[in-house]
Amino acid sequence: MRKILIVEDDRALASEQRRLLQDAGYDADVLNTGFSDPERAARTIAEAMPDLVLLDIGLAGGSGTLKIGASGPLTGGASVYGLAVQNAAQMAVDEINEAGGLNGMQFEFSMLDDKNDASTIATNYASLFEDGMQVSLGTVTSKPGLEFKNLSKEDNVFFLTPSASADAIPEFDNGYQLCFADGNQGAAAAKYVNDNLAGNTIGVLYKSDDVYSTGILNQFKDTLDDSVQLIEASFMGETVASFDSQINLLKGCKFIFMPIYYTPASQFMVQAKNVIAPDAVYYGCDGLDGIETGVEGFDIYTIPQEISFLSHFNSKATEGPAADFIQKYVDKYGAETLNQFGAAAYDCIYALYGAMKQAIDNGKEITADTSASDLCDILKEIFNGGYSFTGVTGEYANGAQTSMSWNANGYVNKAAVKYIVKEAGATAPAK
Amino acid sequence: MEFLHTLINGLSLGGIYALVALGYTMVYGIAKMLNFAHGDIIMVSGYVILVFLSMTGNPLLAIFASIVFCILLGVVIEKVAYKPLRGASPLAVLITAIGVSYLLQSLAQMIFGADPKMIVIYDFGSVSIGAFSIEVKTLLTLFASLVVMISLTLFIKFSRTGRAMLAVSEDRGAAQLMGVSVNRIITITFAIGSALAALAGTFYLLKAPNMNPTFGSLPGIKAFTAAVIGGIGSVPGAMFGGLLLGIIECLCNAVPVLSPYTDAIEFLILILILLVKPTGILGKKRREKV
């Protein structure tokens, strides 16, 4: 039987061609090495010894693009995060390509829908990898991300996730986070307090039977400066009978750290609004994200105190790189999907671009044909070697954006932003 | 001063526990069953207040409506779920009560959803005497629960129905022979218990304004503990147990080191009391006749 080898980067087309040729009585096979590794392709052709090669022209790997893959929820309840990542990453890729790419090599970004469902990741990952993904943004959310990190480890694919914040995401040496890991919020919050409130007395309200809350608190205390006096108050259970005692403990504090979720926080704020000083600050972690709308009947504008939480991006920024990003993003995609996820994805693309540029400057060779595994080794060396990057996330202070770096565990190290949900004494904006 | 503040907060919280504990203890004393759906009446009262408050905007009307609704609900639950089981094994009644509890929670979740809803019935503000400042609702809760407890005691001691309740709890068979309608007394007990729970729900909502379908679980279990501490079946025992538990809870929460262990301390005290006095502090010793 005559042997025909199909070299085609469109997988649907390739399998259809194979079916037709097989129906016509040929031994047809598809070469699917991803075209990013010409040596492997040549080896396969040599091994197969075909009578005929059906070669596509303008194959992706050969025409000078570097493929970045990602997976995220583009439909379903969490789609606002996935769409933000897709939009912002595409925006960054377009900007880089317009400016001439990486030494003339263009970037290509593709993202598959995982509906925030971990069971879709095996298929998504296989599609991305077979399609020639050389480097990745991993996943947008944590649960699928825990699956993704295992698969990418097997093939040694480097990923830098914008927003999958579970502590275990960067478990292996090929995974990095641009967002704060859940457990690192405590340290980031303590750094904020050390920088801004040294010598003061602050309060903390935590939930003693919740590992999210106690985990952040312990790390917060470890990092907190000795000059800061800490008054601790705690509660437990899903419903709290009364915050009277806790309010009594915290009533002298002008700054109250709240590593808790927004439901008990809203109850505390309502009960404490007349007792805690009106110019006091409530400072939470990502558990307070959504407090404006999360509890029906709770109006943040009835609370005189300032409500804020730790974040890495200020979506209300009026100056600095964050403001520029907001302007560009809203012009292109509208304000509906503007959030910290998009900003982080934008930074991820530029951080990868910067790292690759630095590697090339160091004499490493990165081309459109560099395999994912080789690129992963190159990037690991850069990210572990004190690579520092300045983007749109992180703190903007004294007219300059602060930079971020990564530690050997893959966790990001950057200054947190105090995101103000509502300023002290603010009234509801007119509709 | 701090201590006095904590004490008043504790008494006010204890007043709520006592109101709920009275429902547990009266039903246990008269119908000889543990009504585990009692805590969920608190939750129902909260949602009735939510509905009426958003419809009329009148807090007093909403509170009144919640009391009426809960009395009807309590009576209906007794007639439909518990009456057919009178004379059945205590275990069957207990399981039924747990079933009713889950039914109420699931219904609430179907109707109102699982998301928390904040209900601010009325903002009373706070009063201060010199440097001492306390919230009006705390004092109001304390005062109202004391008034209710005193009236209930007087009602049981001096009214015909009250004495009939005592008689049924003492000896159901003998009371029936004396012409007391046991079914009527049990219905009245459920009605009173549910009214107290509705009232407790109102006060609890003033303290903890975030409603959800499991809103009644925590005060329910705490009040049951209070009833056992005081001696289940004993009306003064439930009042005493409720107030004691409220004070312990607020004192523990006021000390940062003890605060994470509040629940553990409360139940440790329950165990200690039961070890020393198995029938609870004010519980009657029942002589076993051989």
Side-chain angles (χ1 to χ4, degrees):
Chain A
M1 201 191 285
R2 298 284 187 181
K3 221 171 177 182
I4 301 180
L5 190 68
I6 303 157
V7 181
E8 167 65 66
D9 58 353
D10 185 327
R11 292 188 312 133
L13 203 59
S15 64
E16 189 60 20
Q17 283 177 356
R18 182 178 58 186
R19 198 180 61 81
L20 288 169
L21 288 168
Q22 281 172 344
D23 286 353
Y26 295 102
D27 173 15
D29 208 0
V30 179
L31 175 77
N32 52 359
T33 54
F35 313 104
S36 52
D37 188 347
E39 276 179 31
R40 218 162 98 196
R43 214 165 43 235
T44 317
I45 293 172
E47 280 166 12
M49 289 289 281
D51 296 291
L52 181 76
V53 174
L54 266 183
L55 181 66
D56 185 23
I57 55 166
L59 285 169
S63 53
T65 62
L66 191 133
K67 286 196 168 185
I68 306 170
S71 175
L74 301 176
T75 56
S79 64
V80 61
Y81 309 132
L83 291 170
V85 166
Q86 191 180 39
N87 291 342
Q90 192 59 52
M91 191 164 95
V93 165
D94 290 347
E95 283 173 16
I96 290 170
N97 288 344
E98 263 167 48
L102 179 69
N103 285 2
M105 181 171 50
Q106 299 275 293
F107 280 6
E108 186 186 324
F109 177 71
S110 61
M111 185 158 163
L112 298 180
D113 184 13
D114 63 24
K115 304 175 181 69
N116 191 21
D117 178 357
S119 67
T120 62
I121 292 302
T123 321
N124 279 4
Y125 177 82
S127 301
L128 288 166
F129 190 67
E130 279 172 23
D131 226 27
M133 166 174 72
Q134 286 153 286
V135 64
S136 176
L137 299 194
T139 63
V140 172
T141 47
S142 281
K143 254 185 223 161
L146 294 170
E147 199 65 34
F148 192 94
K149 73 161 165 85
N150 294 332
L151 296 167
S152 62
K153 170 65 189 162
E154 283 169 30
D155 294 315
N156 198 31
V157 177
F158 188 91
F159 73 87
L160 174 66
T161 171
S163 48
S165 62
D167 291 342
I169 296 284
E171 182 187 348
F172 305 118
D173 59 356
N174 64 316
Y176 285 77
Q177 280 169 327
L178 193 116
C179 56
F180 290 116
D182 289 342
N184 285 354
Q185 296 184 92
K191 262 183 222 140
Y192 174 84
V193 172
N194 292 344
D195 291 348
N196 295 286
L197 294 155
N200 285 298
T201 299
I202 65 160
V204 61
L205 178 71
Y206 70 101
K207 188 166 184 292
S208 57
D209 57 355
D210 183 358
V211 64
Y212 166 79
S213 194
T214 54
I216 291 177
L217 176 76
N218 288 337
Q219 213 183 25
F220 180 79
K221 286 203 279 193
D222 287 346
T223 319
L224 198 64
D225 214 72
D226 288 337
S227 74
V228 181
Q229 287 281 325
L230 188 65
I231 298 178
E232 291 179 35
S234 70
F235 63 95
M236 61 172 79
E238 292 316 307
T239 40
V240 184
S242 164
F243 278 114
D244 286 328
S245 306
Q246 290 85 345
I247 292 169
N248 220 1
L249 283 168
L250 298 172
K251 66 183 173 195
C253 299
K254 285 291 179 71
F255 183 94
I256 298 173
F257 180 49
M258 288 189 167
I260 53 176
Y261 287 105
Y262 56 68
T263 309
S266 63
Q267 185 187 335
F268 178 88
M269 288 172 187
V270 167
Q271 207 181 339
K273 65 181 179 185
N274 298 324
V275 187
I276 305 269
D279 59 344
V281 172
Y282 295 131
Y283 186 54
C285 290
D286 58 356
L288 289 198
D289 200 347
I291 190 165
E292 316 95 292
T293 50
V295 181
E296 206 182 312
F298 173 63
D299 178 5
I300 51 169
Y301 294 103
T302 61
I303 306 298
Q305 291 83 7
E306 176 181 311
I307 305 170
S308 59
F309 63 85
L310 175 139
S311 178
H312 62 160
F313 176 65
N314 181 4
S315 58
K316 291 178 183 165
T318 52
E319 52 176 2
D324 297 342
F325 168 78
I326 293 167
Q327 179 80 45
K328 277 190 288 189
Y329 187 94
V330 173
D331 282 352
K332 209 163 176 185
Y333 303 107
E336 246 161 57
T337 51
L338 174 72
N339 54 41
Q340 52 159 312
F341 290 75
Y346 185 81
D347 271 4
C348 280
I349 298 287
Y350 271 104
L352 290 172
Y353 169 79
M356 286 189 251
K357 208 169 169 63
Q358 190 176 327
I360 291 170
D361 290 346
N362 290 353
K364 290 275 192 301
E365 197 191 4
I366 298 176
T367 68
D369 297 327
T370 306
S371 75
S373 177
D374 290 346
L375 185 58
C376 183
D377 292 335
I378 294 170
L379 285 172
K380 276 192 271 195
E381 204 181 304
I382 297 289
F383 273 77
N384 272 334
Y387 173 55
S388 135
F389 167 75
T390 308
V392 302
T393 64
E395 194 187 17
Y396 181 79
N398 308 322
Q401 187 78 8
T402 57
S403 68
M404 64 188 87
S405 59
W406 284 265
N407 70 18
N409 295 327
Y411 295 128
V412 72
N413 185 7
K414 62 180 166 185
V417 173
K418 188 173 87 166
Y419 176 73
I420 299 173
V421 182
K422 186 201 73 76
E423 298 200 14
T427 48
K431 288 261 166 75
Chain B
M1 209 57 123
E2 287 294 300
F3 181 74
L4 184 66
H5 197 202
T6 308
L7 199 67
I8 293 177
N9 280 332
L11 282 171
S12 138
L13 180 62
I16 296 174
Y17 288 161
L19 289 183
V20 185
L22 281 169
Y24 274 112
T25 222
M26 284 168 66
V27 167
Y28 182 82
I30 288 159
K32 294 285 178 288
M33 65 165 287
L34 289 173
N35 180 16
F36 272 117
H38 191 61
D40 297 293
I41 304 282
I42 300 172
M43 174 271 294
V44 173
S45 96
Y47 279 118
V48 175
I49 289 177
L50 170 72
V51 169
F52 274 82
L53 205 56
S54 57
M55 263 166 40
T56 65
N58 185 340
L60 282 177
L61 186 72
I63 293 169
F64 181 72
S66 86
I67 293 175
V68 172
F69 188 88
C70 287
I71 289 177
L72 291 176
L73 182 70
V75 171
V76 168
I77 289 173
E78 196 273 320
K79 293 273 185 235
V80 175
Y82 302 144
K83 199 179 167 197
L85 290 172
R86 209 151 288 155
S89 87
L91 201 60
V93 186
L94 187 72
I95 303 271
T96 309
I98 293 171
V100 171
S101 163
Y102 278 108
L103 178 75
L104 291 177
Q105 286 180 17
S106 306
L107 280 176
Q109 194 173 336
M110 278 164 63
I111 299 170
F112 297 99
D115 293 341
K117 294 182 174 25
M118 184 171 277
I119 308 171
V120 180
I121 299 180
Y122 188 78
D123 193 357
F124 290 101
S126 53
V127 283
S128 34
I129 307 155
F132 187 75
S133 167
I134 196 148
E135 281 191 283
V136 174
K137 64 189 180 196
T138 307
L139 295 175
L140 191 74
T141 304
L142 177 57
F143 182 70
S145 50
L146 288 178
V147 168
V148 170
M149 283 190 267
I150 291 167
S151 345
L152 186 73
T153 313
L154 295 177
F155 172 78
I156 291 174
K157 271 225 168 103
F158 298 112
S159 78
R160 253 184 103 78
T161 316
R163 273 180 296 176
M165 289 165 91
L166 275 181
V168 173
S169 85
E170 199 79 25
D171 190 327
R172 190 190 285 188
Q176 203 157 15
L177 288 174
M178 295 296 135
V180 176
S181 162
V182 172
N183 277 338
R184 200 181 125 253
I185 293 299
I186 291 179
T187 306
I188 290 173
T189 308
F190 268 87
I192 293 176
S194 302
L196 293 176
L199 210 55
T202 308
F203 293 134
Y204 195 62
L205 207 52
L206 283 174
K207 280 187 185 293
N210 276 346
M211 272 301 300
N212 63 51
T214 54
F215 180 74
S217 309
L218 181 87
I221 201 79
K222 286 280 167 74
F224 178 63
T225 312
V228 175
I229 286 181
I232 192 138
S234 153
V235 169
M239 297 174 187
F240 181 76
L243 293 175
L244 183 71
L245 203 66
I247 292 171
I248 294 171
E249 189 167 326
C250 281
L251 281 179
C252 287
N253 276 334
V255 184
V257 192
L258 295 182
S259 179
Y261 309 104
T262 305
D263 284 357
I265 292 169
E266 282 172 6
F267 288 104
L268 192 70
I269 288 173
L270 170 71
I271 292 171
L272 288 178
I273 288 175
L274 290 185
L275 277 177
V276 180
K277 224 165 170 289
T279 50
I281 295 176
L282 298 178
K284 281 195 201 93
K285 235 187 214 149
R286 197 172 296 148
R287 260 168 292 161
E288 293 289 333
K289 286 175 206 138
V290 187

